[in-house]
Amino acid sequence: MLACFAEEHSMKPCSRGADGHRIILLMLFLLFIPLFFIPTSTACSNANCQLLDSCSTASDCGSGLYCGNCPALGKTQPFCTRGQATIPSSIVSGLPFNKYTWLMTHNAFSIVDAPLLTGSQRITFYNQEDTVTNQLTNGVRGLMLDMYDFQNDIWLCHSFRGQCYNFTAFEPAISTLKEVEAFLTKNPSEIITIIIEDYVHTPKGLTRVFSDAGLDKYWYPVAKMPKKNQNWPTVNDMVQNNHRLLVFTSDSSKEADEGIAYQWRYMVENEPGDPGVVPGSCPNRKESKPLNSRSSSLFLMNYFPTIPVENEACKEHSSPLAYMVETCYKSAGNVIPNFIAVNFYMRSDGGGVFDAVDRMNGQSLCGCSTVTSCQAGAPFGSCKTITASNTTPANPDTSGSFSGSVQLTGAASTVHIPSIFILCLFHFLITFSAAISVEI
C-alpha cells in the first residue's frame, strides 16, 4: 500500500521549497483520483446492461442476468452473465417429459455460508452459493440431496462412510423439502426431480419426511413410471394429474418398502466427480447400465469435479462443458441428456450451463441451435431468427431473475476496492503533507 510504503521507507520530499512541494502534491492527487472515482462501467446501469456488458453491481444487469467475473479465464473485471434458465416447456409444451433437458444442482443443499445449526464449525466441501428456493426460482429443476439419519431425524449432510457428523451436517431435510413444496404450490405448472443419495435406515423415514413436508400430494407414483426405455407422460399430463415431483433413491430396497423409485432402474448415468470431467471420456457410473444400453428413458449427465472449487467453476462451465456434452451424447448412442448436474451453477464466462441446456433443448425439441429459436406448433427444424448473444436471455417468466444476493469472487472486491485505495491514498497524502510541513 502506498501509505505503508511511504512510512516504511521514511519518505522525505526533495528540497524545492513549499510551492514545489504543493505542486508535487497536487500532481499526485490528480494522477490517482481518476483511477478511483471513475465508475467501473459508464456504458450502462440501472438494469440496462445486457449479456457480457461491463457492470459494477448486480442491479446494473438486466432481467435474468447478474454481475460476475471469471478470473480463472483472465476475466477479472465484472460483466453481466446469465443467471436464469429458460424453461423449455414454456416454449415447446406437450412433449413427453424425457424429451426435455433440465438443469440440476449437485448437492443443492451444500451452500456456502449456510447457517451452523449443530453448534460446530462445519468442515466439508460446498457446492452451491444460493438457497434452494433461489435455485428453483432461477430455473433449476433437479436437486441432488444427500440424506442421513442424524439427531433422531433425517438431515442433509455432506459427509463420508454413510455417517453424518456435527461438522458435516447442514439442516434437517424437511426444511429444504418445505422450500420445494412452497415452490410447487406457487408454480402449478412446474415439475421438479429429486435424486437422493440415501443413507437413511429409519423404517419409512423418507416416506415420513416427504409427507411431513406436504409433498405427497405432488408425488409421481412409482407404479406409473415407464420401464424399458418407454416414453414418460407429456409434461402437460403430469401437470394435469399433479404428478409434479419425481423422487429417486440410491437404495434399491426403498422401492418395494416405501414406494420410492430406485434411481438406476429408470435412468442411466455417467461417472460423477473427476472421472466425469475427463475430456473425450464419458463412462457410465458403476451402478448404472451402459449409457448406450437403451434400457432407460432418462439420462443423467454429471459434470462436476470431485473437489468443488468456486473460482474454477466459471472456466469449467465454458467451452469444456460444451465438449463434454458432445462426448456424453455420443457415448449414449446419440441421446441428449435429460439432466445436467453441476456445482456452482451460476458461475460462467457468459452463458454457462444455461446456454448449454438451451442448446440441448433446441436440438431435441425442434431441431434448432437453441430452444429460444423453437416455434410452438412449427415443423421440426423450423427455427426463428434470434438476436445476437449480447442480449438478455429470453424467458417468459422473469420473476426468477437473480437477485444479486450472491456476490461472486471478484465482484464484491471490484465494488469495494476503490474505497479502500482512496483511504490509503488519503493516508499517503496526509503523511506526505506532514513530511512537507516538517521539512519546511
Side-chain angles (χ1 to χ4, degrees):
M1 306 291 276
L2 293 174
C4 302
F5 180 87
E7 291 176 357
E8 180 180 351
H9 293 273
S10 301
M11 180 179 289
K12 295 182 179 180
C14 54
S15 55
R16 294 184 181 180
D19 291 339
H21 292 309
R22 292 190 181 95
I23 292 173
I24 294 174
L25 185 62
L26 179 62
M27 290 176 63
L28 285 171
F29 187 85
L30 294 176
L31 176 65
F32 283 103
I33 286 301
L35 297 178
F36 307 117
F37 281 101
I38 293 179
T40 304
S41 172
T42 57
C44 58
S45 61
N46 298 325
N48 291 318
C49 298
Q50 297 183 338
L51 188 65
L52 302 182
D53 284 347
S54 297
C55 55
S56 299
T57 66
S59 61
D60 288 341
C61 301
S63 176
L65 305 175
Y66 76 105
C67 190
N69 64 358
C70 188
L73 289 176
K75 301 178 180 181
T76 57
Q77 296 303 310
F79 55 96
C80 295
T81 64
R82 281 192 67 176
Q84 186 180 50
T86 302
I87 305 303
S89 55
S90 68
I91 298 178
V92 180
S93 62
L95 296 181
F97 178 77
N98 55 293
K99 299 301 181 183
Y100 298 87
T101 299
W102 311 95
L103 176 58
M104 177 173 285
T105 44
H106 172 234
N107 288 337
F109 64 93
S110 182
I111 300 167
V112 175
D113 295 329
L116 303 175
L117 302 181
T118 65
S120 299
Q121 180 62 44
R122 192 177 294 115
I123 305 174
T124 188
F125 294 118
Y126 296 92
N127 303 89
Q128 306 301 332
E129 296 168 294
D130 55 344
T131 66
V132 167
T133 295
N134 207 50
Q135 292 172 34
L136 296 174
T137 302
N138 283 336
V140 171
R141 290 296 176 266
L143 307 172
M144 288 182 164
L145 304 176
D146 297 0
M147 297 192 182
Y148 291 74
D149 290 313
F150 183 65
Q151 293 186 347
N152 297 316
D153 202 349
I154 296 174
W155 276 60
L156 299 174
C157 191
H158 198 182
S159 199
F160 50 92
R161 296 183 179 179
Q163 181 69 43
C164 185
Y165 302 92
N166 283 337
F167 57 88
T168 60
F170 279 82
E171 68 176 6
I174 193 170
S175 298
T176 293
L177 295 181
K178 284 183 176 179
E179 292 185 68
V180 175
E181 192 279 334
F183 181 84
L184 287 172
T185 299
K186 183 180 179 181
N187 299 274
S189 63
E190 298 301 324
I191 300 169
I192 296 175
T193 301
I194 294 178
I195 295 180
I196 303 170
E197 189 172 323
D198 192 347
Y199 301 100
V200 176
H201 303 292
T202 301
K204 307 293 183 181
L206 285 186
T207 304
R208 185 178 65 254
V209 73
F210 275 92
S211 178
D212 290 347
L215 286 170
D216 48 349
K217 58 181 175 288
Y218 300 119
W219 197 273
Y220 193 106
V222 66
K224 294 186 177 183
M225 289 187 175
K227 311 282 196 308
K228 298 181 180 179
N229 202 31
Q230 297 171 330
N231 278 333
W232 284 68
T234 67
V235 290
N236 293 356
D237 288 341
M238 293 172 68
V239 168
Q240 183 176 356
N241 294 322
N242 213 25
H243 293 159
R244 299 191 291 122
L245 178 66
L246 282 65
V247 182
F248 299 92
T249 173
S250 60
D251 185 342
S252 60
S253 70
K254 298 291 176 66
E255 183 160 333
D257 295 343
E258 301 190 47
I260 303 175
Y262 176 54
Q263 176 183 347
W264 296 290
R265 191 166 287 139
Y266 303 92
M267 70 177 68
V268 293
E269 177 185 5
N270 71 316
E271 280 277 17
D274 290 345
V277 296
V278 176
S281 174
C282 190
N284 62 280
R285 183 170 180 155
K286 64 180 181 180
E287 296 92 345
S288 167
K289 294 179 181 178
L291 302 185
N292 61 358
S293 67
R294 306 285 179 162
S295 60
S296 306
S297 53
L298 294 178
F299 173 17
L300 165 60
M301 176 183 163
N302 294 304
Y303 183 72
F304 49 84
T306 300
I307 299 177
V309 180
E310 290 173 84
N311 293 349
E312 293 294 319
C314 64
K315 181 178 180 180
E316 296 161 2
H317 297 163
S318 59
S319 56
L321 172 58
Y323 294 138
M324 187 56 67
V325 169
E326 179 69 17
T327 298
C328 290
Y329 168 77
K330 293 179 179 178
S331 296
N334 297 337
V335 173
I336 294 176
N338 299 107
F339 306 99
I340 179 166
V342 298
N343 293 329
F344 307 119
Y345 75 103
M346 300 289 289
R347 290 181 177 259
S348 76
D349 66 339
V353 296
F354 304 108
D355 276 2
V357 171
D358 280 357
R359 288 192 294 269
M360 288 188 277
N361 277 314
Q363 294 173 29
S364 60
L365 301 181
C366 64
C368 300
S369 60
T370 177
V371 72
T372 54
S373 291
C374 296
Q375 303 182 84
F380 193 85
S382 177
C383 309
K384 66 181 179 181
T385 303
I386 58 173
T387 55
S389 60
N390 65 338
T391 58
T392 300
N395 194 335
D397 177 14
T398 59
S399 62
S401 300
F402 182 68
S403 65
S405 60
V406 178
Q407 286 280 15
L408 299 193
T409 299
S413 62
T414 304
V415 174
H416 297 297
I417 276 179
S419 60
I420 295 173
F421 273 94
I422 288 171
L423 289 175
C424 184
L425 177 60
F426 284 168
H427 185 191
F428 166 69
L429 293 176
I430 292 171
T431 303
F432 191 53
S433 298
I436 292 175
S437 298
V438 171
E439 182 72 14
I440 294 173

